[in-house]
Amino acid sequence: MEDRELQWEDTIEKDAPEFVLLPEGDYNFTVESFERARHAGSEKLPPCNKAVLRLRVEAPEGTAYINHNLFLHTKTEGILSAFFACIGQKKKGESLRMNWKTVPGSIGKAKVGIHKYVNDSGEERRYNDVKRFYPREEGPAYKEGEF
């Protein structure tokens, strides 16, 4: 069935997807989408644009989705470079004009960790986050034909 807008009185049947928490490790990912947003500012970083990435990881445990923010600021330029090198757009030592139109559908490899926090109800929660993007040429377990 084709995707479409739902009406207020429509019938729904799909269940919510299962949440998958991956063990820490190195994983291939696909960029499902990204959204342009604005960082309001914090102690570490002034207000700036940000890209909110939605990464899909297919693993034996199931399909996991990881949201990752890329802040468009000179303080985080190295992280932006690491991401674009990871998806094969940037070469080490070369400059790159970021081409966001080509980001959805891009593939790469990242070190994934587990972030723990306590919610407002006092419960400990966990979710996956990206610790590091591996450059396409250097990433661990990059093998011919893997992508």
Side-chain angles (χ1 to χ4, degrees):
M1 179 184 264
E2 190 173 311
D3 285 337
R4 66 177 176 81
E5 176 182 12
L6 294 172
Q7 300 302 311
W8 291 104
E9 295 81 22
D10 278 353
T11 301
I12 59 173
E13 59 185 74
K14 288 183 183 175
D15 293 326
E18 292 293 319
F19 174 75
V20 175
L21 183 69
L22 299 172
E24 292 184 345
D26 297 330
Y27 294 92
N28 294 332
F29 67 84
T30 301
V31 180
E32 283 279 302
S33 63
F34 91 92
E35 179 182 317
R36 293 174 192 259
R38 186 88 182 143
H39 173 62
S42 64
E43 288 182 26
K44 295 181 181 181
L45 193 64
C48 62
N49 290 322
K50 70 176 178 178
V52 181
L53 303 174
R54 181 167 171 83
L55 309 177
R56 184 183 76 236
V57 176
E58 302 288 343
E61 296 81 6
T63 302
Y65 293 92
I66 301 171
N67 291 328
H68 184 77
N69 294 323
L70 289 175
F71 299 98
L72 280 67
H73 195 278
T74 54
K75 286 185 174 184
T76 60
E77 189 173 347
I79 297 166
L80 288 165
S81 287
F83 171 72
F84 281 98
C86 178
I87 62 172
Q89 288 192 29
K90 185 175 185 313
K91 302 284 186 230
K92 190 171 184 164
E94 295 180 7
S95 61
L96 172 79
R97 178 180 295 273
M98 296 180 288
N99 185 352
W100 294 99
K101 290 179 186 174
T102 63
V103 169
S106 294
I107 54 178
K109 185 179 280 298
K111 177 169 276 311
V112 172
I114 297 175
H115 181 81
K116 297 177 186 177
Y117 70 99
V118 177
N119 69 11
D120 293 337
S121 302
E123 299 170 297
E124 182 180 282
R125 298 286 188 180
R126 301 179 303 162
Y127 64 87
N128 289 121
D129 61 355
V130 174
K131 300 295 186 189
R132 177 176 185 225
F133 290 108
Y134 292 111
R136 177 64 54 95
E137 302 86 25
E138 301 170 17
Y142 271 77
K143 296 180 180 81
E144 191 65 36
E146 187 173 56
F147 287 106

